[in-house]
C-alpha cells in the first residue's frame, strides 16, 4: 500500500461530515466547553496560504480539545459584505450578491478539502438578511440608548463621478476610477459612541492575560488616554477666551506663543477679519489638503499668524496666536499653548518663525543656556517660574495646575485619542442603516417589527453611485411615527459592524426570533482561543470588544470581553523577484544565465529576490489547491504548522513541503508494514521489563505533545512525534513483550499526529483494526512514573584503582560517558600520573577506566 492522500482524504471528509463528528451542542450547558475561533474570511474567491495556515493552527487546537472530551465550538462563516464585491460587479457586470455567493461556494469547497473540523451546520454569511436584520435591531437599540448619533463629517469626494470614495478608492489623492483629484466634503454621517466606553476599553485590557502584550499596547496607544489640564486664555482686546489642553502645566511659565488648528471653530471669523485674508485662506486650504492626504506627521511644520494675541494669566505677557499645520482639530480643544524650550515641535516652529524661547526646566545636574539646539523634554528642576522655582517639575505639574484652578482659569481633564466610530458608508453592498427621514418628524428609526430593511440584491451596478440612490422603490417610504412621506437612509454600515458580533451568532445560527439564545451564548462565550492576523490588532479587535460591552449593557449577555486568549499568527512569505525597474516577475519567468537572473520577457536583470508576504501583486503566491493536489491536505497542514512557530512568519519552501510529505510517508510505511502486529498486540503495557527506553520515550512524547499543543508550540510537538517514529524504526521487536510495546508506541504516534494530519491518521487507525473514529477517540494520556528515566551505576577506575561512581542511563553511549568523565576531570587530576587524561576505556554498563 502506497501513501496516496487523494485516495483517503476526500473519503474521511465525507464521513466526518455525515456523522456530524464536530458538532457543538449548545444545550449541554453543564459540559466543559471550548470555543475555538479563527477570524472568518472575506469571500474574495479563492483561499490563499495565509488562510491555510490560520485555519490549520485553529484546527489543531479544536481537534485536540474534541479529543480531550470538551464540547467544542469550532465554526466558520463569511465576512461577506464589502467593497471588493462592488468592484468585481463593475468588472464582470454581475450583481455583487451573485459574485459573493459564487465565491462562498468556491471557497467552501476549497476549505473542505483541507479537512478542518468545523461544525458546518453553523455556517453564517453576514450578507444574508437572516444575519443583518439583528444588526439593524442592535442599531436601533443603540440609538434608543443614545449610543448612535449623526453628525457632519468629512468624506473623500470625487466631483467628476459625483460620489463618495472609500479610502481604498483614493490613490495618491486621485480617484481610482476617473483619475480626477479627490476633495474633502462634509456630509451627515452616522457614528457609534465608542468614546463612552474609552475608559473601560482601556482598563479591561489589564484583565486580558491571554492576549499578546503588543496587541494590548497598540490598543492602549489607539485609545490614548491623557491626563492634563484645560487652561483658558483671554484674547487681547476681546471678551473671548481660548481654551487649550496641556499635559505639561509645569511648562506654563515658558509659553512664548500659541497655536491652533486651521479647522478650529474660530477660523472663519479670524479669516473674515484678517487684512491678509487671501494668503491666510491659501494657507488654510493647503493645510486641509495636507491633512487629507498625509497620514503620518513627517511633514514640515508650518504656521500662519492669526493677528491675535492671548494674555498670559500670570505675567500678562502678550502671546501671539498662530494657525499651525500640526495642531489637530479633533484632539483636546484644537488649540495648544506652545513651549518651544520643552517641546520639539514648538521648538522647530519657534526657530522657523523667530519666536523667543524661554527655559523653565533644567536638568538636575546642570544649567541650561540659550540658545538651545533642541527642546529639553525630560523632567528636571523648575527655573524662571517665580514661586515654583526649585521645585521638581514632576511636582510642579500638580502645583501649577492647582494654582490655575484656584485662579479660576484652569480645570483638570482627561482626553482620549480615540474617536467615535464612523459607521456610515455611502456604498451599496452593506447592511442598510434602519433609519428614515421624515419632513415632519425628523430622523426616526424603522419600526422593529418591520425589520429587516432588506438590501435589494438584484441590481445593476455601474459603480458611479450606490444603486440604492436610484431606486425609489427602496428609498421611498412612510414615516413610522406620523405615516407621512419619508425617505429611507441609503447609507450602509461599515463591515466592521458585522465582524463585531458574528461569533455570538455562531452559537445560535438559526435563531429567528432573537439574534441568539442568550443562555447558550453565555455558556459558549467567551471565545477560549481566538486566532487572526496582527493587522486586526486595533480596529476589529477594539470594535468587537466595544460591541461586547454594548450587548452586555443592552441585556443580551452576561460577559464584557469577547475572547480569553488571542494568538496573532505570522504571515506566509516567499521570495519575490523584481526587475531593476521595480516590476514584479513570476518565478517561472526568471531565467538564470551564468548565475545572473533575468526576466525572460523583458530581458531585464532581476535585482531583488527577498522574502515578502505572499500576494498576487508581488507575483509570489502559491495556490493551496495546487499543493493539495500534489501533496495532499495533510502535508500542507503539517508544513504550515512545522516550518515556523505560529506567531512567526512562515517562509514558503518547496523543500519544506517535500520534507513534510516524506515524514508522513515514513509514518505510513512503518504502520502499514506492521498492521497485523499492531492489531494483534493491542494491549497497553503498564510497565515493561524490556525496551524501557521506548516505553519512557512514548510517554514523554505524549506529555510533550499535549503541553506543546496547549502552548501553540506545534513545530516542537511535531518534531517530538518524528523522534518517536525514529525510535520505532530503530526498535527491534523480537519478543512478545517488545512487540506489545512496539505496537503501543506506533499506535500512540498515530494518535498524537491526528490533530495535525487527520486524514492519514484516521485511515491508519482504521487499518489497525478500529471501528470507531480516531477524531473522537480520547487523546492519549501519559503515566507520570513511566517518565522517570532508569539509572545504573558505573564505577570509575583511575589507572586501575576505584576512585568514583557515575549515575547514568542504561543506554548511555560511549560519547556521553567520555563527556561526563571529562567534566569531572578536575576531581580526577590528582590521581593521574601525568596530570592529564590520556585514554578512556568504557565497559558498557559496568566500568570506565581512565588512564593518564
Ligand atoms: C504644552 C506643552 C509643553 C505640551 C510641553 C507638551 C510639551 P498627549 O500626551 O498626546 O495627550 N496638544 C494638545 N492638543 C493638541 C492638538 N489638538 N493637536 C496637536 N497637539 C496638541 O499630548 C498632549 C500635548 O499635545 C499637549 O501638551 C499639547 O502640548 C499638545 F513641553 O501643552 B502640550
Ligand atoms: Zn413623520
Amino acid at each position: 500500500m502506497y501513501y496516496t492522500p487523494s485516495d483517503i482524504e476526500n473519503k474521511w471528509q465525507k464521513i466526518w461530515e455525515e456523522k456530524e463528528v464536530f458538532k457543538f451542542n449548545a444545550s449541554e450547558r453543564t459540559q466543559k466547553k471550548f470555543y475555538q475561533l479563527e477570524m472568518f474570511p472575506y469571500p474574495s474567491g479563492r483561499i490563499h496560504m495565509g488562510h491555510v495556515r490560520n485555519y490549520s493552527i485553529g484546527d489543531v487546537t479544536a481537534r485536540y480539545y474534541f479529543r480531550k472530551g470538551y464540547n467544542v465550538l469550532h465554526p466558520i462563516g463569511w465576512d461577506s459584505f464589502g467593497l471588493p464585491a462592488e468592484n468585481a460587479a463593475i468588472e464582470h457586470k454581475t450583481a455583487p450578491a451573485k459574485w459573493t455567493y459564487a465565491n462562498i461556494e468556491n471557497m467552501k469547497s476549497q476549505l473542505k478539502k483541507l479537512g478542518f473540523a468545523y461544525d458546518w451546520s453553523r455556517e453564517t454569511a453576514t450578507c444574508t438578511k437572516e444575519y443583518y436584520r439583528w444588526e439593524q435591531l442592535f442599531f436601533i437599540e443603540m440609538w434608543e440608548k443614545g449610543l448612535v448619533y449623526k453628525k457632519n463629517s468629512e468624506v473623500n469626494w470625487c466631483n467628476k463621478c459625483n460620489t463618495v470614495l472609500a479610502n481604498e478608492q483614493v490613490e495618491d489623492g486621485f480617484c481610482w476610477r476617473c483619475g480626477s483629484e479627490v476633495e474633502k466634503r462634509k456630509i451627515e454621517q452616522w457614528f457609534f459612541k465608542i468614546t463612552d466606553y474609552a475608559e473601560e476599553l482601556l482598563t479591561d485590557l489589564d484583565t486580558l492575560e491571554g492576549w499578546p502584550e503588543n496587541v494590548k499596547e497598540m490598543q492602549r496607544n489607539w485609545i490614548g488616554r491623557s491626563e492634563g489640564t484645560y487652561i483658558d486664555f483671554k484674547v487681547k482686546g476681546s471678551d473671548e477666551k481660548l481654551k487649550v489642553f496641556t499635559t505639561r502645566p509645569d511648562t506654563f511659565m515658558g509659553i512664548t506663543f500659541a497655536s491652533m488648528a486651521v479647522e478650529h471653530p474660530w477660523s472663519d471669523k479670524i479669516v473674515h477679519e484678517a487684512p491678509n485674508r487671501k494668503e491666510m485662506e491659501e494657507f488654510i486650504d493647503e493645510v486641509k489638503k495636507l491633512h487629507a492626504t498625509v497620514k503620518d506627521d513627517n511633514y514640515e511644520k508650518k504656521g500662519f499668524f492669526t493677528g491675535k494675541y492671548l494674555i498670559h494669566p500670570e505675567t500678562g505677557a502678550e502671546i501671539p496666536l498662530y494657525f499651525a499645520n500640526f495642531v489637530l482639530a479633533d484632539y483636546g480643544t484644537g488649540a495648544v499653548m506652545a513651549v518651544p524650550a520643552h517641546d520639539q515641535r514648538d521648538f522647530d516652529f519657534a526657530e522657523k518663525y523667530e519666536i523667543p524661547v524661554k527655559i523653565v526646566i533644567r536638568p538636575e545636574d546642570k544649567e541650561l543656556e540659550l540658545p538651545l539646539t533642541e527642546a529639553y523634554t525630560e523632567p528636571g528642576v523648575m527655573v524662571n517660574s517665580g514661586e515654583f522655582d526649585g521645585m521638581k517639575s514632576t511636582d510642579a505639574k500638580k502645583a501649577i495646575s492647582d494654582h490655575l484652578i484656584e485662579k479660576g482659569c484652569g480645570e483638570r481633564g482627561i482626553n482620549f485619542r480615540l474617536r467615535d466610530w464612523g459607521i456610515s458608508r455611502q456604498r451599496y453592498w452593506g447592511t442598510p442603516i434602519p433609519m428614515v427621514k421624515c419632513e415632519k418628524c425628523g430622523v426616526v428609526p424603522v419600526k422593529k417589527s418591520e425589520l429587516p430593511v432588506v438590501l435589494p440584491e438584484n441590481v445593476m451596478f455601474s459603480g458611479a453611485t450606490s444603486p440604492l440612490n436610484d431606486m425609489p422603490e427602496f428609498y421611498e417610504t412612510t414615516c413610522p411615527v406620523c405615516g407621512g412621506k419619508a425617505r429611507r437612509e441609503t447609507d450602509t454600515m461599515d463591515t466592521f459592524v458585522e465582524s463585531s458580533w458574528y461569533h455570538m451568532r455562531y452559537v445560535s445560527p438559526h435563531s429567528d426570533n432573537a439574534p441568539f439564545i442568550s443562555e447558550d451564548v453565555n455558556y459558549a462565550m467567551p471565545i477560549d482561543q481566538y486566532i487572526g492576523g496582527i493587522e486586526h490588532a486595533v480596529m476589529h479587535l477594539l470594535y468587537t470588544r466595544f460591541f461586547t460591552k454594548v450587548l452586555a449593557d443592552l441585556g443580551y449577555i452576561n460577559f464584557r470581553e469577547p475572547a480569553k486568549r488571542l494568538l496573532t499568527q505570522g504571515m506566509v512569505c516567499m521570495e519575490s523577484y523584481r526587475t531593476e525597474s521595480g516590476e514584479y516577475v513570476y518565478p517561472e519567468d526568471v531565467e538564470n544565465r551564468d548565475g545572473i537572473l533575468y526576466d525572460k520577457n523583458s530581458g531585464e536583470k532581476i535585482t531583488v529576490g527577498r522574502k515578502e508576504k505572499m500576494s498576487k501583486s508581488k507575483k509570489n503566491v502559491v495556490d493551496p489547491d495546487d499543493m493539495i493536489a500534489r501533496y495532499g491536505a495533510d502535508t500542507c497542514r503539517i508544513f504550515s504548522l512545522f516550518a515556523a512557530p505560529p506567531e512567526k512568519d512562515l517562509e514558503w519552501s518547496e523543500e519544506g513541503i517535500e520534507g513534510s510529505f516524506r515524514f508522513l510517508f515514513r509514518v505510513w510505511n512503518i504502520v502499514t508494514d506492521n498492521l497485523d502486529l499492531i492489531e494483534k498486540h493491542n494491549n497497553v503495557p503498564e510497565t515493561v521489563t524490556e525496551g524501557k527506553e521506548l516505553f519512557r520515550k512514548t510517554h514523554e512524547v505524549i506529555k510533550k505533545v499535549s503541553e506543546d499543543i496547549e502552548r501553540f508550540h506545534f513545530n516542537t510537538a511535531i518534531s517530538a512525534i518524528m523522534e518517536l517514529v525514529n525510535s520505532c524504526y530503530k526498535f527491534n521487536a523480537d519478543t512478545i513483550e517488545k512487540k506489545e510495546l512496539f505496537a503501543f508506541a506506533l499506535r500512540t504516534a498515530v494518535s498524537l499526529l491526528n490533530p495535525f494530519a487527520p486524514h492519514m491518521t484516521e485511515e491508519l487507525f482504521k487499518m489497525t483494526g478500529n471501528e470507531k473514529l480516531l477524531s473522537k477517540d480520547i487523546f492519549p494520556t501519559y503515566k507520570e512514573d513511566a517518565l522517570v528515566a532508569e539509572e545504573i551505576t558505573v564505577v570509575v577506575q583511575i589507572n586501575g584503582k576505584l576512585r568514583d561512581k557515575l549515575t547514568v542511563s542504561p543506554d548511555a553511549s560511549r560519547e556521553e560517558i567520555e563527556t561526563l568523565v571529562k567534566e569531572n576531570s578536575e576531581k580526577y587530576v590528582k590521581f593521574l600520573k601525568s596530570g592529564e587524561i590520556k585514554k578512556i576505556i568504557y565497559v558498557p554498563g559496568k566500568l570506565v577506566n581512565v588512564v593518564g
Side-chain angles (χ1 to χ4, degrees), residues 438 440-441 479 482:
C438 165
K440 248 172 57 204
C441 313
C479 171
C482 72

Side-chain angles (χ1 to χ4, degrees), residues 390-401:
M391 210 182 235
K392 277 188 179 166
S393 67
T394 43
D395 297 333
K397 266 192 184 178
K398 183 170 182 305
I400 294 183
S401 185

Side-chain angles (χ1 to χ4, degrees), residues 34-106:
F34 195 92
Y35 191 166
Q36 168 59 51
L37 186 67
E38 299 95 60
M39 291 178 186
F40 63 167
Y42 176 78
S44 56
R46 301 191 62 73
I47 63 167
H48 52 67
M49 286 311 296
H51 292 127
V52 174
R53 185 176 193 207
N54 184 205
Y55 301 142
S56 296
I57 294 168
D59 204 52
V60 172
T61 310
R63 285 177 174 274
Y64 173 77
Y65 285 100
F66 268 118
R67 294 186 54 201
K68 280 280 182 187
Y70 284 75
N71 189 10
V72 176
L73 173 54
H74 188 214
I76 186 80
W78 311 96
D79 189 11
S80 50
F81 271 140
L83 196 59
E86 298 192 358
N87 295 341
I90 299 165
E91 197 181 322
H92 306 300
K93 300 198 166 42
T94 60
K98 218 173 138 191
W99 181 83
T100 302
Y101 290 121
N103 285 350
I104 289 177
E105 278 320 302
N106 194 29

Side-chain angles (χ1 to χ4, degrees), residues 503-559:
H503 41 279
M504 302 194 217
R505 180 67 182 173
Y506 280 148
V507 179
S508 318
H510 310 295
S511 163
D512 58 4
N513 56 4
F516 43 73
I517 300 162
S518 292
E519 293 87 342
D520 290 354
V521 169
N522 288 338
Y523 162 62
M525 290 281 293
I527 299 160
D528 291 274
Q529 181 65 55
Y530 199 20
I531 305 177
I534 187 75
E535 66 275 19
H536 295 297
V538 177
M539 308 250 264
H540 163 58
L541 288 169
L542 194 67
Y543 294 147
T544 185
R545 293 183 59 224
F546 161 64
F547 232 75
T548 307
K549 294 173 193 302
V550 169
L551 292 185
D553 288 341
L554 290 174
Y556 282 101
I557 52 178
N558 65 6
F559 51 94

Side-chain angles (χ1 to χ4, degrees), residues 437-442 444 478-486:
K437 198 170 187 173
C438 165
E439 278 156 30
K440 248 172 57 204
C441 313
V444 287
T478 51
C479 171
V481 180
C482 72
K485 238 177 96 180

Side-chain angles (χ1 to χ4, degrees), residues 226 245-248 251 328 331 336-337 342-343 345 417:
S226 292
F245 174 71
T246 180
T247 48
R248 296 290 308 275
T251 64
L328 309 169
Y331 187 69
V336 180
M337 62 178 230
H342 304 293
D343 180 279
R345 285 191 308 195
R417 198 155 292 279

